[in-house]
Amino acid sequence: MPAINFMHPDGKSDRIETSDSESAMQAATRHGLDGILAECGGNAMCATCHVYVDEDWLGRLPAIGDDEDALLDGTAAERLPNSRLSCQIVITPDLDGLVLRLPERQV
Ligand code: FES
């Protein structure tokens, strides 16, 4: 199964194994990762699963959807060009090794 890397603001990192067709958010919450709240459970309604995608991986993710784009305008931490909602990133085998940086805060 693909594994993804979450980088914390303090420099710590967590490598997390994913399961079939789950989102980066689901993998993070299943492992109790600090820094992803996911208050809406992945329904693209809360923006508390905000992540910054490592620049090397940006071009390999599916395009951002309209709902995700609108919701990213309401993130607690600053929205950057590489901001995404981790609940909208479905992990596929070609994303093995994906690097996601966690923002300073989610609320
Ligand atoms: S979990 Fe709520 S928007 Fe992603």
Side-chain angles (χ1 to χ4, degrees):
M1 288 298 166
I4 53 178
N5 302 292
F6 286 91
M7 312 298 291
H8 296 265
D10 65 1
K12 197 182 99 185
S13 67
D14 283 304
R15 183 173 174 83
I16 287 180
E17 298 285 331
T18 65
S19 295
D20 234 6
S21 301
E22 74 179 348
S23 69
M25 176 280 282
Q26 288 171 317
T29 55
R30 189 163 53 78
H31 286 85
L33 185 88
D34 284 338
I36 297 286
L37 298 184
E39 289 176 343
C40 77
N43 291 310
M45 294 174 65
C46 72
T48 61
C49 64
H50 180 203
V51 291
Y52 300 117
V53 178
D54 186 89
E55 303 290 338
D56 291 344
W57 289 91
L58 262 185
R60 297 195 236 178
L61 295 184
I64 192 166
D66 289 344
D67 289 348
E68 182 182 1
D69 190 26
L71 203 53
L72 281 167
D73 285 337
T75 54
E78 181 184 10
R79 179 180 183 172
L80 299 177
N82 59 338
S83 285
R84 295 294 301 258
L85 297 178
S86 59
C87 70
Q88 302 301 302
I89 302 173
V90 176
I91 303 302
T92 53
D94 56 321
L95 292 181
D96 185 34
L98 174 67
V99 177
L100 300 174
R101 301 185 190 285
L102 293 161
E104 290 284 348
R105 62 186 195 279
Q106 294 286 8
V107 291

XYZ file of all heavy atoms in Angstrom:
806
model
N 0.842 -1.203 0.000
C 0.000 0.000 0.000
C 0.879 1.256 0.000
O 1.939 1.266 0.626
C -0.876 0.005 1.250
C -1.992 -1.031 1.205
S -3.109 -0.697 -0.170
C -3.989 -2.224 -0.225
N 0.421 2.291 -0.649
C 1.205 3.529 -0.654
C 1.308 4.120 0.754
O 0.393 3.972 1.562
C 0.397 4.458 -1.560
C -0.606 3.616 -2.257
C -0.795 2.390 -1.444
N 2.396 4.777 1.004
C 2.589 5.495 2.265
C 2.763 6.977 1.937
O 3.283 7.340 0.880
C 3.799 4.970 3.011
N 2.264 7.816 2.839
C 2.412 9.251 2.636
C 3.082 9.863 3.858
O 3.026 9.311 4.955
C 1.064 9.945 2.343
C 0.025 9.617 3.422
C 0.542 9.505 0.989
C -1.303 10.312 3.186
N 3.710 10.993 3.650
C 4.489 11.646 4.697
C 3.836 12.967 5.084
O 3.578 13.807 4.217
C 5.904 11.913 4.202
C 6.587 10.641 3.776
O 6.894 9.777 4.589
N 6.807 10.489 2.471
N 3.563 13.107 6.380
C 3.046 14.367 6.901
C 4.179 15.064 7.641
O 4.787 14.480 8.543
C 1.875 14.119 7.852
C 0.607 13.714 7.167
C 0.322 12.367 6.953
C -0.300 14.667 6.721
C -0.857 11.987 6.316
C -1.478 14.293 6.083
C -1.754 12.956 5.888
N 4.434 16.316 7.276
C 5.475 17.116 7.909
C 4.802 18.119 8.842
O 3.944 18.898 8.412
C 6.290 17.880 6.855
C 6.763 17.022 5.687
S 7.868 15.693 6.157
C 9.298 16.634 6.622
N 5.169 18.080 10.108
C 4.597 18.996 11.096
C 5.341 20.327 11.075
O 6.517 20.375 10.684
C 4.682 18.365 12.490
C 3.860 17.119 12.628
N 2.578 17.108 13.127
C 4.135 15.830 12.297
C 2.114 15.871 13.116
N 3.036 15.077 12.621
N 4.682 21.397 11.542
C 5.345 22.711 11.551
C 6.645 22.724 12.355
O 7.534 23.517 12.073
C 4.295 23.629 12.188
C 2.996 22.967 11.915
C 3.273 21.496 11.950
N 6.775 21.835 13.361
C 7.997 21.813 14.174
C 9.110 20.976 13.549
O 10.164 20.788 14.159
C 7.681 21.288 15.585
C 7.219 19.834 15.598
O 7.148 19.208 14.509
O 6.931 19.318 16.688
N 8.867 20.474 12.339
C 9.904 19.715 11.651
C 9.780 18.211 11.813
O 10.448 17.448 11.105
N 8.952 17.792 12.747
C 8.714 16.361 12.939
C 7.966 15.820 11.721
O 7.256 16.554 11.046
C 7.864 16.188 14.207
C 7.853 14.793 14.808
C 6.943 14.754 16.025
C 5.623 14.179 15.584
N 4.553 14.131 16.524
N 8.104 14.538 11.447
C 7.357 13.962 10.335
C 6.773 12.610 10.726
O 7.289 11.930 11.618
C 8.238 13.821 9.098
O 9.242 12.858 9.328
N 5.683 12.269 10.080
C 5.042 10.972 10.279
C 4.825 10.330 8.919
O 4.265 10.964 8.015
C 3.681 11.129 10.972
C 3.819 11.394 12.458
O 4.463 10.582 13.142
O 3.299 12.423 12.926
N 5.264 9.093 8.786
C 5.017 8.330 7.560
C 3.854 7.385 7.853
O 3.909 6.603 8.817
C 6.280 7.548 7.172
C 6.144 6.781 5.877
C 7.491 6.187 5.478
N 7.370 5.330 4.324
C 7.362 5.744 3.079
N 7.471 7.027 2.816
N 7.247 4.893 2.074
N 2.819 7.454 7.042
C 1.587 6.719 7.317
C 1.232 5.820 6.139
O 1.194 6.262 4.987
C 0.443 7.728 7.609
C 0.679 8.327 8.998
C -0.920 7.087 7.499
C -0.355 9.328 9.411
N 0.966 4.560 6.463
C 0.517 3.615 5.435
C -0.956 3.880 5.144
O -1.742 4.089 6.062
C 0.679 2.179 5.939
C 2.112 1.771 6.250
C 2.927 1.504 5.004
O 2.340 1.094 3.983
O 4.153 1.719 5.057
N -1.330 3.850 3.887
C -2.722 4.076 3.521
C -3.389 2.757 3.149
O -2.715 1.762 2.868
C -2.830 5.046 2.329
O -2.251 4.426 1.181
C -2.114 6.350 2.629
N -4.707 2.775 3.154
C -5.469 1.624 2.696
C -6.066 1.954 1.335
O -6.069 3.106 0.907
C -6.592 1.298 3.683
O -6.047 0.903 4.911
N -6.614 0.939 0.708
C -7.167 1.088 -0.630
C -8.149 2.245 -0.750
O -9.115 2.325 0.001
C -7.902 -0.210 -0.992
C -7.409 -0.764 -2.301
O -6.445 -0.197 -2.844
O -7.996 -1.757 -2.761
N -7.907 3.133 -1.654
C -8.855 4.192 -2.039
C -9.245 5.129 -0.914
O -10.286 5.778 -0.998
C -10.136 3.584 -2.627
O -9.829 2.806 -3.738
N -8.475 5.207 0.139
C -8.815 6.169 1.170
C -8.146 7.504 0.864
O -7.193 7.586 0.100
C -8.475 5.671 2.577
C -7.036 5.666 2.943
C -6.822 5.166 4.378
O -7.777 5.030 5.155
O -5.656 4.901 4.697
N -8.683 8.548 1.478
C -8.102 9.874 1.276
C -6.934 10.069 2.239
O -6.788 9.329 3.230
C -9.157 10.957 1.508
O -9.497 11.013 2.887
N -6.136 11.083 1.957
C -5.034 11.410 2.862
C -5.582 11.743 4.243
O -5.003 11.379 5.266
C -4.236 12.577 2.295
N -6.723 12.432 4.300
C -7.345 12.748 5.587
C -7.735 11.476 6.329
O -7.498 11.343 7.532
C -8.580 13.639 5.364
C -9.371 13.960 6.616
S -10.489 12.649 7.178
C -11.858 12.820 6.074
N -8.366 10.535 5.644
C -8.792 9.296 6.296
C -7.589 8.538 6.846
O -7.642 7.991 7.953
C -9.573 8.419 5.321
C -10.952 8.970 5.010
C -11.629 8.222 3.877
O -11.012 7.915 2.867
N -12.913 7.939 4.050
N -6.508 8.487 6.090
C -5.306 7.808 6.572
C -4.774 8.512 7.821
O -4.398 7.868 8.804
C -4.247 7.782 5.474
N -4.777 9.839 7.791
C -4.259 10.612 8.928
C -5.103 10.391 10.182
O -4.567 10.135 11.265
C -4.221 12.096 8.565
N -6.413 10.476 10.051
C -7.266 10.350 11.229
C -7.282 8.908 11.742
O -7.382 8.679 12.937
C -8.700 10.843 10.941
O -9.231 10.146 9.819
C -8.700 12.327 10.648
N -7.195 7.949 10.844
C -7.161 6.540 11.262
C -5.931 6.273 12.144
O -5.956 5.414 13.017
C -7.150 5.643 10.019
C -7.323 4.179 10.272
C -7.699 3.437 8.999
N -6.802 3.679 7.884
C -5.610 3.116 7.746
N -5.173 2.258 8.640
N -4.851 3.376 6.694
N -4.878 7.032 11.907
C -3.654 6.873 12.691
C -3.570 7.883 13.835
O -2.540 7.964 14.508
C -2.429 7.001 11.794
C -2.197 5.811 10.920
N -2.812 5.651 9.695
C -1.444 4.696 11.109
C -2.437 4.502 9.162
N -1.612 3.904 9.998
N -4.626 8.678 14.031
C -4.628 9.642 15.129
C -3.605 10.749 14.978
O -3.096 11.279 15.965
N -3.324 11.121 13.756
C -2.312 12.149 13.502
C -2.752 13.511 14.044
O -3.854 13.971 13.770
C -2.084 12.265 11.992
C -0.973 13.216 11.582
C 0.353 12.484 11.546
C -1.262 13.839 10.234
N -1.882 14.149 14.811
C -2.138 15.514 15.257
C -2.036 16.448 14.053
O -1.152 16.294 13.225
C -1.094 15.951 16.291
C -1.358 15.333 17.653
O -2.509 14.941 17.905
O -0.405 15.222 18.438
N -2.943 17.423 13.998
C -2.818 18.435 12.947
C -3.861 18.319 11.858
O -3.970 19.206 11.014
N -4.614 17.226 11.831
C -5.744 17.084 10.909
C -6.989 16.870 11.754
O -7.092 15.849 12.442
C -5.557 15.884 9.954
C -4.339 16.067 9.054
C -6.824 15.658 9.120
C -4.506 17.077 7.944
N -7.901 17.822 11.734
C -9.110 17.689 12.556
C -10.240 16.998 11.804
O -10.933 16.153 12.350
C -9.574 19.068 13.036
C -8.596 19.837 13.931
C -9.227 21.122 14.414
C -8.151 18.978 15.111
N -10.484 17.405 10.582
C -11.513 16.781 9.732
C -12.881 16.775 10.416
O -13.546 15.749 10.503
C -11.087 15.369 9.341
N -13.304 17.922 10.869
C -14.559 18.030 11.630
C -15.790 17.598 10.852
O -16.777 17.161 11.438
C -14.731 19.467 12.135
C -13.751 19.808 13.240
C -13.839 21.259 13.703
O -14.422 22.091 12.974
O -13.309 21.547 14.787
N -15.778 17.714 9.540
C -16.968 17.337 8.755
C -16.896 15.901 8.257
O -17.797 15.445 7.557
C -17.174 18.302 7.594
S -16.061 18.028 6.197
N -15.840 15.198 8.605
C -15.731 13.793 8.218
C -15.431 13.569 6.744
O -15.658 12.475 6.231
N -14.951 14.579 6.079
C -14.558 14.393 4.677
C -15.605 14.836 3.677
O -15.523 14.471 2.501
N -16.553 15.619 4.109
C -17.616 16.067 3.200
C -17.345 17.423 2.568
O -18.264 18.054 2.040
C -18.951 16.099 3.961
C -19.418 14.708 4.311
O -19.468 13.829 3.456
N -19.736 14.484 5.570
N -16.115 17.878 2.635
C -15.735 19.167 2.042
C -16.600 20.311 2.562
O -17.149 21.105 1.804
C -15.772 19.095 0.511
N -16.722 20.361 3.886
C -17.533 21.413 4.490
C -16.835 22.159 5.624
O -17.400 23.105 6.170
C -18.834 20.801 5.039
C -19.739 20.253 3.953
S -21.161 19.389 4.621
C -22.027 20.721 5.430
N -15.643 21.738 6.031
C -15.068 22.344 7.234
C -13.691 22.997 7.034
O -13.339 23.890 7.769
C -14.966 21.299 8.341
S -13.671 20.056 8.078
N -12.923 22.521 6.091
C -11.559 23.021 5.822
C -10.598 22.800 6.984
O -9.567 23.473 7.057
C -11.578 24.494 5.416
N -10.919 21.866 7.891
C -9.985 21.582 8.987
C -9.089 20.378 8.667
O -8.516 19.766 9.564
C -10.734 21.338 10.315
O -11.597 20.209 10.180
C -11.535 22.560 10.727
N -8.976 20.094 7.397
C -8.046 19.038 6.933
C -7.048 19.653 5.961
O -6.477 18.969 5.129
C -8.822 17.902 6.280
S -9.695 18.427 4.779
N -6.856 20.964 6.094
C -5.979 21.737 5.211
C -4.542 21.221 5.254
O -4.009 20.948 6.332
C -6.046 23.202 5.692
C -5.230 24.169 4.934
N -4.816 25.359 5.483
C -4.745 24.163 3.671
C -4.126 26.042 4.600
N -4.059 25.332 3.484
N -3.930 21.103 4.099
C -2.505 20.746 4.012
C -1.857 21.574 2.903
O -2.541 22.091 2.015
C -2.288 19.244 3.697
C -2.698 18.363 4.862
C -3.015 18.824 2.415
N -0.529 21.668 2.985
C 0.256 22.264 1.913
C 0.983 21.118 1.206
O 1.738 20.367 1.838
C 1.281 23.252 2.470
C 0.671 24.402 3.249
C 0.948 24.575 4.599
C -0.171 25.320 2.622
C 0.400 25.639 5.320
C -0.731 26.385 3.339
C -0.439 26.536 4.679
O -0.986 27.574 5.385
N 0.736 20.978 -0.070
C 1.347 19.890 -0.832
C 2.780 20.279 -1.196
O 3.030 21.385 -1.691
C 0.534 19.605 -2.113
C 1.190 18.502 -2.925
C -0.905 19.236 -1.750
N 3.708 19.360 -0.936
C 5.101 19.612 -1.306
C 5.177 19.934 -2.805
O 4.519 19.290 -3.624
C 5.932 18.366 -0.983
C 7.397 18.614 -1.195
O 8.057 19.070 -0.246
O 7.895 18.356 -2.316
N 5.972 20.930 -3.137
C 6.041 21.414 -4.522
C 6.332 20.301 -5.524
O 5.816 20.313 -6.639
C 7.138 22.495 -4.638
C 6.957 23.685 -3.705
C 5.783 24.576 -4.088
O 5.369 24.544 -5.247
O 5.267 25.281 -3.188
N 7.138 19.338 -5.140
C 7.500 18.254 -6.065
C 6.306 17.384 -6.441
O 6.359 16.654 -7.428
C 8.586 17.368 -5.449
C 9.914 18.074 -5.335
O 10.087 19.123 -5.993
O 10.786 17.583 -4.592
N 5.261 17.450 -5.624
C 4.103 16.573 -5.841
C 2.901 17.305 -6.423
O 1.923 16.661 -6.828
C 3.702 15.917 -4.512
C 4.678 14.891 -4.064
C 5.762 15.080 -3.258
C 4.685 13.502 -4.424
N 6.431 13.901 -3.093
C 5.790 12.924 -3.790
C 3.848 12.709 -5.204
C 6.091 11.569 -3.931
C 4.146 11.361 -5.350
C 5.258 10.809 -4.718
N 2.951 18.606 -6.462
C 1.769 19.377 -6.864
C 1.199 18.947 -8.209
O -0.003 18.754 -8.356
C 2.129 20.866 -6.944
C 1.773 21.733 -5.755
C 2.094 23.186 -6.081
C 0.326 21.566 -5.347
N 2.046 18.765 -9.188
C 1.597 18.435 -10.534
C 1.061 17.025 -10.668
O 0.494 16.675 -11.699
N 1.238 16.212 -9.653
C 0.790 14.818 -9.755
C -0.587 14.587 -9.136
O -1.119 13.493 -9.205
C 1.808 13.906 -9.070
C 3.162 13.963 -9.764
C 4.027 12.817 -9.335
N 5.285 13.293 -8.808
C 6.222 12.521 -8.332
N 6.044 11.216 -8.288
N 7.337 13.024 -7.875
N -1.132 15.626 -8.523
C -2.457 15.485 -7.917
C -3.535 15.867 -8.930
O -3.305 16.694 -9.813
C -2.583 16.394 -6.692
C -1.677 16.086 -5.511
C -1.993 17.010 -4.357
C -1.821 14.636 -5.077
N -4.728 15.292 -8.785
C -5.839 15.706 -9.643
C -6.128 17.192 -9.427
O -5.826 17.748 -8.372
C -7.015 14.845 -9.155
C -6.428 13.781 -8.303
C -5.098 14.261 -7.816
N -6.699 17.808 -10.438
C -7.019 19.237 -10.344
C -7.973 19.504 -9.183
O -8.777 18.650 -8.806
C -7.640 19.705 -11.654
N -7.861 20.694 -8.646
C -8.705 21.099 -7.528
C -10.153 21.315 -8.028
O -10.365 21.861 -9.104
C -8.110 22.371 -6.899
C -8.750 22.669 -5.569
C -8.199 23.543 -7.824
C -7.959 23.708 -4.793
N -11.113 20.850 -7.234
C -12.522 21.020 -7.614
C -13.062 22.363 -7.164
O -12.463 23.042 -6.327
N -14.200 22.760 -7.722
C -14.795 24.068 -7.390
C -15.138 24.179 -5.902
O -14.889 25.211 -5.281
C -16.058 24.308 -8.225
C -15.728 24.566 -9.684
O -14.546 24.849 -9.984
O -16.641 24.471 -10.519
N -15.720 23.117 -5.338
C -16.096 23.149 -3.916
C -14.861 23.276 -3.039
O -14.831 24.043 -2.080
C -16.865 21.882 -3.525
C -18.260 21.864 -4.118
O -18.705 22.914 -4.632
O -18.894 20.795 -4.083
N -13.845 22.499 -3.371
C -12.598 22.551 -2.601
C -11.971 23.938 -2.705
O -11.532 24.508 -1.704
C -11.627 21.478 -3.111
C -10.315 21.439 -2.332
C -9.342 20.404 -2.865
O -9.665 19.720 -3.853
O -8.248 20.289 -2.278
N -11.965 24.466 -3.896
C -11.379 25.785 -4.127
C -12.078 26.841 -3.271
O -11.429 27.669 -2.620
C -11.500 26.129 -5.613
C -10.713 27.360 -5.980
O -9.721 27.679 -5.304
O -11.106 28.035 -6.953
N -13.395 26.798 -3.237
C -14.157 27.780 -2.455
C -13.886 27.618 -0.961
O -13.713 28.594 -0.236
C -15.648 27.618 -2.744
N -13.830 26.383 -0.515
C -13.641 26.124 0.912
C -12.239 26.539 1.377
O -12.051 26.984 2.514
C -13.876 24.637 1.182
C -14.261 24.238 2.597
C -15.464 25.034 3.072
C -14.567 22.752 2.655
N -11.274 26.414 0.501
C -9.903 26.779 0.865
C -9.769 28.277 1.166
O -8.817 28.696 1.818
C -8.931 26.364 -0.243
C -8.553 24.883 -0.244
C -7.866 24.514 -1.551
C -7.654 24.547 0.944
N -10.728 29.062 0.726
C -10.697 30.489 1.060
C -11.018 30.729 2.531
O -10.833 31.825 3.037
C -11.694 31.262 0.182
C -11.185 31.425 -1.238
O -9.956 31.347 -1.434
O -12.011 31.615 -2.145
N -11.490 29.680 3.230
C -11.855 29.848 4.632
C -10.964 29.088 5.597
O -11.372 28.826 6.726
N -9.764 28.738 5.189
C -8.871 27.996 6.084
C -8.383 28.900 7.220
O -8.261 30.112 7.051
C -7.653 27.444 5.325
O -7.024 28.523 4.644
C -8.082 26.381 4.332
N -8.102 28.293 8.374
C -7.620 29.054 9.527
C -6.208 29.578 9.286
O -5.891 30.715 9.623
C -7.655 28.171 10.777
N -5.368 28.753 8.708
C -4.014 29.187 8.355
C -4.056 29.739 6.935
O -4.966 29.433 6.158
C -3.053 28.003 8.430
N -3.084 30.548 6.618
C -3.050 31.210 5.319
C -3.169 30.220 4.161
O -2.522 29.171 4.148
C -1.729 31.971 5.180
C -1.601 32.725 3.879
C -0.226 33.386 3.724
O 0.666 33.088 4.539
O -0.072 34.172 2.791
N -4.001 30.573 3.191
C -4.067 29.765 1.972
C -2.877 30.126 1.093
O -2.603 31.305 0.853
C -5.374 30.044 1.216
C -5.444 29.235 -0.076
C -6.706 29.476 -0.856
N -6.726 28.622 -2.033
C -7.762 28.476 -2.850
N -8.867 29.149 -2.611
N -7.680 27.675 -3.878
N -2.198 29.100 0.599
C -1.059 29.291 -0.291
C -1.368 28.607 -1.626
O -2.326 27.827 -1.724
C 0.198 28.689 0.332
C 0.648 29.296 1.673
C 1.861 28.555 2.221
C 0.955 30.784 1.511
N -0.565 28.858 -2.644
C -0.834 28.235 -3.956
C -0.850 26.705 -3.904
O -1.479 26.062 -4.743
C 0.313 28.750 -4.833
C 0.696 30.049 -4.204
C 0.507 29.858 -2.726
N -0.158 26.127 -2.929
C -0.116 24.663 -2.823
C -1.083 24.133 -1.767
O -0.964 22.978 -1.345
C 1.304 24.184 -2.536
C 1.876 24.746 -1.252
O 1.423 25.778 -0.763
N 2.869 24.079 -0.708
N -2.029 24.936 -1.334
C -3.025 24.486 -0.348
C -3.999 23.510 -0.983
O -4.463 23.715 -2.112
C -3.818 25.687 0.189
O -3.051 26.446 1.088
N -4.328 22.464 -0.254
C -5.369 21.505 -0.652
C -6.088 21.032 0.604
O -5.601 21.205 1.712
C -4.761 20.283 -1.376
C -4.090 20.561 -2.698
C -5.029 21.025 -3.790
N -6.092 20.094 -4.102
C -6.093 19.276 -5.165
N -5.079 19.291 -6.012
N -7.131 18.471 -5.387
N -7.249 20.413 0.381
C -7.955 19.734 1.465
C -7.585 18.260 1.388
O -7.800 17.613 0.356
C -9.466 19.919 1.324
C -9.972 21.349 1.415
C -11.496 21.386 1.209
C -9.607 21.991 2.742
N -7.057 17.736 2.484
C -6.564 16.350 2.425
C -7.690 15.332 2.251
O -7.448 14.214 1.809
C -5.721 16.022 3.657
O -6.460 16.193 4.853
N -8.932 15.735 2.566
C -10.051 14.801 2.356
C -10.381 14.649 0.875
O -11.120 13.732 0.501
C -11.282 15.217 3.142
S -12.105 16.712 2.547
N -9.855 15.532 0.062
C -10.130 15.465 -1.379
C -8.969 14.844 -2.156
O -8.999 14.783 -3.387
C -10.424 16.879 -1.906
C -11.590 17.558 -1.202
C -12.885 16.776 -1.314
O -13.368 16.500 -2.412
N -13.448 16.380 -0.173
N -7.962 14.383 -1.438
C -6.809 13.736 -2.092
C -6.922 12.233 -1.876
O -6.625 11.724 -0.793
C -5.473 14.254 -1.519
C -5.376 15.770 -1.687
C -4.304 13.546 -2.194
C -4.153 16.383 -0.991
N -7.403 11.529 -2.877
C -7.499 10.068 -2.790
C -6.134 9.488 -3.149
O -5.535 9.836 -4.177
C -8.585 9.531 -3.737
C -8.602 8.007 -3.722
C -9.942 10.087 -3.334
N -5.649 8.629 -2.252
C -4.308 8.088 -2.443
C -4.341 6.903 -3.409
O -5.047 5.921 -3.190
C -3.697 7.658 -1.091
C -3.682 8.846 -0.126
C -2.293 7.112 -1.296
C -2.929 10.074 -0.613
N -3.588 7.030 -4.458
C -3.442 5.976 -5.460
C -1.987 5.501 -5.437
O -1.120 6.195 -4.872
C -3.802 6.527 -6.858
O -3.029 7.715 -7.083
C -5.283 6.868 -6.940
N -1.706 4.344 -6.032
C -0.324 3.832 -5.970
C 0.724 4.822 -6.466
O 1.846 4.855 -5.955
C -0.382 2.579 -6.853
C -1.801 2.110 -6.727
C -2.616 3.363 -6.651
N 0.376 5.642 -7.439
C 1.374 6.587 -7.956
C 1.649 7.742 -7.000
O 2.530 8.563 -7.238
C 0.962 7.109 -9.342
C -0.401 7.747 -9.337
O -1.308 7.245 -8.661
O -0.558 8.784 -10.007
N 0.901 7.810 -5.916
C 1.160 8.856 -4.906
C 1.974 8.309 -3.732
O 2.097 8.970 -2.698
C -0.154 9.459 -4.406
C -0.940 10.283 -5.449
C -2.214 10.845 -4.832
C -0.085 11.417 -6.010
N 2.526 7.121 -3.896
C 3.378 6.570 -2.840
C 4.546 7.521 -2.578
O 5.267 7.896 -3.514
C 3.908 5.199 -3.278
C 4.705 4.516 -2.192
O 4.373 4.680 -1.003
O 5.691 3.834 -2.536
N 4.695 7.942 -1.325
C 5.769 8.862 -0.965
C 5.339 10.322 -0.938
O 6.152 11.206 -0.645
N 4.062 10.580 -1.231
C 3.539 11.953 -1.217
C 3.922 12.674 0.076
O 3.882 12.088 1.161
C 2.001 11.888 -1.339
C 1.232 13.205 -1.209
C 1.526 14.126 -2.392
C -0.271 12.925 -1.115
N 4.279 13.938 -0.052
C 4.659 14.747 1.109
C 3.638 15.870 1.282
O 3.411 16.666 0.368
C 6.073 15.343 0.937
C 6.415 16.237 2.125
C 7.102 14.229 0.777
N 3.009 15.903 2.451
C 2.029 16.930 2.785
C 2.502 17.656 4.027
O 2.837 17.028 5.035
C 0.656 16.281 3.049
C 0.052 15.484 1.884
C -1.223 14.789 2.328
C -0.209 16.374 0.681
N 2.513 18.981 3.972
C 2.929 19.787 5.130
C 1.692 20.286 5.870
O 0.738 20.747 5.249
C 3.792 20.962 4.660
C 5.032 20.493 3.918
C 5.979 21.601 3.529
N 7.003 21.082 2.634
C 8.024 20.320 3.009
N 8.174 20.012 4.286
N 8.886 19.854 2.134
N 1.742 20.177 7.167
C 0.601 20.589 7.998
C 0.713 22.066 8.332
O 1.806 22.560 8.636
C 0.577 19.759 9.281
C 0.283 18.266 9.047
C 0.730 17.445 10.251
C -1.184 18.050 8.773
N -0.407 22.789 8.316
C -0.379 24.210 8.675
C -0.220 24.386 10.193
O -0.362 23.430 10.955
C -1.748 24.715 8.199
C -2.628 23.523 8.239
C -1.755 22.327 7.952
N 0.028 25.608 10.610
C 0.196 25.911 12.039
C -1.078 25.651 12.831
O -1.029 25.309 14.003
C 0.612 27.373 12.226
C 2.017 27.694 11.766
C 3.079 27.212 12.737
O 2.742 26.835 13.878
O 4.263 27.213 12.344
N -2.225 25.848 12.180
C -3.488 25.607 12.883
C -4.580 25.263 11.880
O -4.493 25.612 10.704
C -3.880 26.825 13.721
C -4.129 28.079 12.925
C -4.371 29.259 13.844
N -4.937 30.379 13.126
C -4.248 31.236 12.397
N -2.949 31.071 12.276
N -4.843 32.231 11.779
N -5.645 24.600 12.402
C -6.784 24.220 11.557
C -8.055 24.981 11.951
O -9.022 24.957 11.201
C -7.051 22.706 11.671
C -5.946 21.826 11.126
C -5.874 21.801 9.595
O -6.546 22.532 8.913
N -5.024 20.920 9.075
N -8.051 25.593 13.140
C -9.221 26.384 13.558
C -8.736 27.705 14.138
O -7.589 27.828 14.562
C -10.087 25.649 14.618
C -10.779 24.472 13.989
C -9.279 25.240 15.828
S -12.626 16.927 6.407
Fe -13.920 18.654 6.299
S -13.263 19.635 4.495
Fe -11.962 17.923 4.634
